[in-house]
Amino acid sequence: MNSGATYTNDRSPSSNVFMDTIPGTENTYESLHANVYTCLDRTAPSNRSTEAKSSAGREYLYRKISLVFVSLWLITLITLIVGMVLHYDQRSAIQREMEVLKNSPSKLIGGTPKVAFAASLANHSETKTIGPYSEAVTVVYTHVITNVGGAYNQSTGIFTVPIRGVYYFSFTAFGWDQRLRISVSLFLNHEFFMSAYDNNPGPGRGATNTITLQLEIGDIIYLKLWADMQLHDNGNLYNTFNGHLLFPI
């Protein structure tokens, strides 16, 4: 034993050499810390890009939903406006028709409009012959038998529709002269509609016709005698013009 040797608690040289080959704890933590932040920095742009895309997608979806709601709101608003306009027009039409009923002689009687007329070419005490003419003429049935509502004009021979509805008309034609044919035609608003005609040989020719029509307020109905034809009446009311309202619309 060497008396000059001194023993201490210091690490042996071999131990110091071994520890020097291992990175220090402090350096190890610093290295790990640097590596973690390096990784985070490298992945951060990708995360930010994903978040941006997600935000843009949400904004697009929000705009799309908003557009759908706005479109539905506009459609609802337009539907309401159109409905109100149609309702107003219908109500106005009803009010106009009611005003016509109030101001017309054919007023509501017992809740139902009354329109009916019957007229003949001559009365029971006279004999009348009209025609032949060089052109068609309106037949004026001057002898009024019935005129409920006052829609038939005995001065012109024209019936003017006072109420929108369905009407029934009938007319007869009679002629005595065997040399002349007889024919009267019904006109609606100055347009030919139908005729009654007889061309059988011999005196006392007659014809009749009927029609049911849906008419509007202000429509006119009258009869015409064609050119080179003749009508005759001797008090037996052979030539008549009749019409009445079946029901209003």
Side-chain angles (χ1 to χ4, degrees):
M1 175 178 295
N2 187 359
S3 60
T6 303
Y7 297 95
T8 65
N9 290 330
D10 293 337
R11 289 173 294 182
S12 62
S14 61
S15 182
N16 289 336
V17 171
F18 176 77
M19 292 301 293
D20 290 340
T21 61
I22 299 175
T25 303
E26 182 177 355
N27 293 335
T28 301
Y29 284 145
E30 290 177 356
S31 176
L32 290 174
H33 187 269
N35 289 335
V36 168
Y37 272 90
T38 301
C39 292
L40 290 176
D41 289 341
R42 289 176 180 176
T43 58
S46 176
N47 292 336
R48 286 195 295 268
S49 176
T50 303
E51 291 177 359
K53 290 181 180 178
S54 177
S55 177
R58 287 194 299 269
E59 184 176 356
Y60 172 76
L61 181 61
Y62 173 77
R63 289 180 179 178
K64 194 171 183 180
I65 293 174
S66 300
L67 181 61
V68 170
F69 276 105
V70 170
S71 300
L72 291 175
W73 182 81
L74 288 175
I75 292 172
T76 303
L77 181 62
I78 293 172
T79 303
L80 289 174
I81 293 174
V82 171
M84 292 176 64
V85 170
L86 292 176
H87 175 74
Y88 176 78
D89 290 343
Q90 185 178 13
R91 186 173 180 179
S92 299
I94 293 174
Q95 289 178 344
R96 288 194 298 269
E97 192 161 330
M98 290 303 296
E99 288 296 326
V100 171
L101 291 176
K102 290 179 181 179
N103 299 326
S104 172
S106 56
K107 294 180 181 179
L108 292 173
I109 303 175
T112 304
K114 309 294 184 182
V115 182
F117 76 97
S120 62
L121 191 62
N123 59 34
H124 292 287
S125 61
E126 67 178 336
T127 297
K128 182 182 290 186
T129 300
I130 63 170
Y133 300 106
S134 59
E135 59 182 14
V137 297
T138 300
V139 181
V140 180
Y141 297 86
T142 56
H143 177 52
V144 174
I145 303 167
T146 304
N147 196 15
V148 177
Y152 174 74
N153 188 329
Q154 67 186 95
S155 299
T156 62
I158 295 175
F159 171 78
T160 304
V161 176
I163 298 170
R164 184 174 185 262
V166 176
Y167 291 77
Y168 174 83
F169 297 95
S170 64
F171 53 97
T172 61
F174 178 83
W176 188 254
D177 194 327
Q178 61 181 340
R179 298 169 302 173
L180 299 174
R181 299 167 295 167
I182 62 162
S183 179
V184 292
S185 297
L186 184 141
F187 280 72
L188 169 60
N189 296 330
H190 306 298
E191 297 290 335
F192 167 77
F193 201 85
M194 63 186 302
S195 294
Y197 175 82
D198 188 3
N199 192 31
N200 292 323
R205 302 172 180 179
T208 186
N209 212 338
T210 63
I211 187 67
T212 299
L213 297 172
Q214 179 177 325
L215 301 174
E216 304 292 332
I217 296 175
D219 286 346
I220 60 173
I221 299 287
Y222 59 91
L223 298 175
K224 274 190 173 184
L225 173 66
W226 291 106
D228 301 322
M229 298 186 185
Q230 187 181 77
L231 296 178
H232 175 79
D233 212 329
N234 59 6
N236 291 315
L237 309 186
Y238 293 132
N239 294 277
T240 59
F241 180 27
N242 307 272
H244 63 271
L245 173 67
L246 292 176
F247 53 87
I249 297 177

